[in-house]
Amino acid sequence: MITASDNVWQVAHGRSLKLDGDGLIMAIVNATPDSFSDGGRYLAADLAIAHALDCVTKGAHIIDIGGESTRPGAAGVSEQEEQDRVLPIIERLSGVTDALISVDTYRASTARLAVEAGAHIVNDVFGLQKDAAMANVVAETGAGVCIMHTGREREKLPDVIADQFAFLNTSLDIADKAGISRSAIILDPGFGFAKDTDENVLLMSRFDELSRFGLPILAGTSRKRFIGALTGRDGAEDRDIGTAATTAILRIAGAIVFRVHNVEMTRDALAVADAVLRQKKNKGDGRL
């Protein structure tokens, strides 16, 4: 196992991100026609880039570019179609912002080309377990990697935390064998990916148990169906307040990066949660 540097996320092109301060925001930019929240809105490169830059202005530290919807039942796309959607955006965006750029893909070929185009991070929703070449691409390019847990295409364990450790430890073994440094890795428990409302709430309530991995954790709850079920909000864009509530809860529980649609609301939620965490640290008594 290649060990991590304390509180620093090492990513491609010699960049890094400090993880020992306030919560960080990863803004979602879907260059897709069918994503559940903003499908079709940023399919054109000019619109995607404008939206990404607006997110940076509002406080995003990372821009996550995706070319294939991961919503349940979404139609798959070919490698070429995915690459035609994301690569021009990444290449142009890398020339106009210092924000880190992430590519949301489970395909090794897309990941390699995206890093060559300027991306710093690979966000793999199958946790290096879908494409056997992905881990080697991450290692060879020096990219940072988000390793996400999923319950799709597999049999889950009945206990939500036990399943997290079973799946993600397999992913970490793959990463170790490929030579990926632990300082390049952040974990994502995969809210909403083959998890029902009760499982998502239970995962939130036990989120602090994921600290046993000893790695930074990303939370991606934004506008998910379970938030709609809890709040009675049917429309995806009506779930931002519920998302902000999960952001505050999960920041207190230990998450450091938040993948979201609404950057401004997340920024405000983190401002409150981070103030509480600083107070706890300063007092040193562990009480809220």
Side-chain angles (χ1 to χ4, degrees):
M1 180 179 71
I2 304 173
T3 58
S5 302
D6 289 342
N7 298 317
V8 176
W9 191 10
Q10 301 289 345
V11 300
H13 309 299
R15 298 285 302 276
S16 62
L17 191 62
K18 291 185 177 180
L19 302 175
D20 58 355
D22 291 346
L24 303 171
I25 299 172
M26 174 187 278
I28 300 166
V29 178
N30 289 315
T32 61
D34 56 351
S35 291
F36 79 94
S37 176
D38 55 2
R41 190 172 300 175
Y42 310 117
L43 186 58
D46 287 344
L47 294 176
I49 291 165
H51 177 59
L53 294 176
D54 182 57
C55 288
V56 173
T57 298
K58 291 174 178 176
H61 306 86
I62 306 164
I63 303 298
D64 191 42
I65 310 293
E68 179 176 357
S69 175
T70 57
R71 67 174 176 81
V77 301
S78 67
E79 288 186 12
Q80 190 61 57
E81 188 172 7
E82 179 187 45
Q83 292 161 15
D84 288 346
R85 290 175 179 178
V86 302
L87 295 179
I89 297 169
I90 292 169
E91 186 172 11
R92 289 173 56 186
L93 193 59
S94 67
V96 293
T97 182
D98 289 329
L100 295 181
I101 300 170
S102 169
V103 60
D104 182 358
T105 185
Y106 57 83
R107 294 183 175 94
S109 61
T110 301
R112 185 182 294 279
L113 291 171
V115 176
E116 290 175 359
H120 306 90
I121 298 160
V122 175
N123 181 13
D124 185 351
V125 298
F126 281 96
L128 307 178
Q129 297 187 41
K130 181 79 166 178
D131 187 331
M134 179 64 93
N136 286 332
V137 167
V138 171
E140 291 164 8
T141 60
V145 60
C146 298
I147 296 176
M148 198 194 82
H149 172 283
T150 184
R152 294 180 182 176
E153 301 181 14
R154 51 182 285 268
E155 188 76 23
K156 296 187 299 181
L157 297 176
D159 182 87
V160 293
I161 297 299
D163 196 67
Q164 290 281 324
F165 278 89
F167 182 88
L168 291 174
N169 278 331
T170 297
S171 295
L172 291 171
D173 286 343
I174 293 169
D176 289 343
K177 290 174 182 176
I180 300 173
S181 170
R182 289 293 171 104
S183 63
I185 296 172
I186 192 166
L187 300 180
D188 177 353
F191 284 99
F193 280 75
K195 300 173 183 69
D196 63 24
T197 297
D198 289 342
E199 289 171 317
N200 284 299
V201 173
L202 185 57
L203 181 55
M204 281 199 296
S205 73
R206 298 178 61 187
F207 193 86
D208 60 336
E209 297 180 45
L210 300 180
S211 65
R212 300 203 308 268
F213 281 112
L215 289 165
I217 308 291
L218 177 150
T221 62
S222 187
R223 299 179 178 175
K224 293 288 177 73
R225 187 184 306 173
F226 81 93
I227 293 177
L230 294 172
T231 62
R233 303 286 185 178
D234 292 331
E237 292 187 7
D238 296 327
R239 301 171 188 165
D240 285 339
I241 295 174
T243 299
T246 67
T247 295
I249 291 166
L250 294 172
R251 179 68 185 118
I252 297 294
I256 183 65
V257 178
F258 297 83
R259 183 179 181 274
V260 297
H261 298 86
N262 190 317
V263 171
E264 286 184 296
M265 198 169 289
T266 301
R267 184 190 64 201
D268 289 355
L270 287 174
V272 176
D274 283 321
V276 172
L277 289 173
R278 284 193 296 273
Q279 185 68 17
K280 289 179 67 176
K281 183 178 179 180
N282 291 338
K283 290 182 70 174
D285 61 5
R287 293 183 297 170
L288 288 178

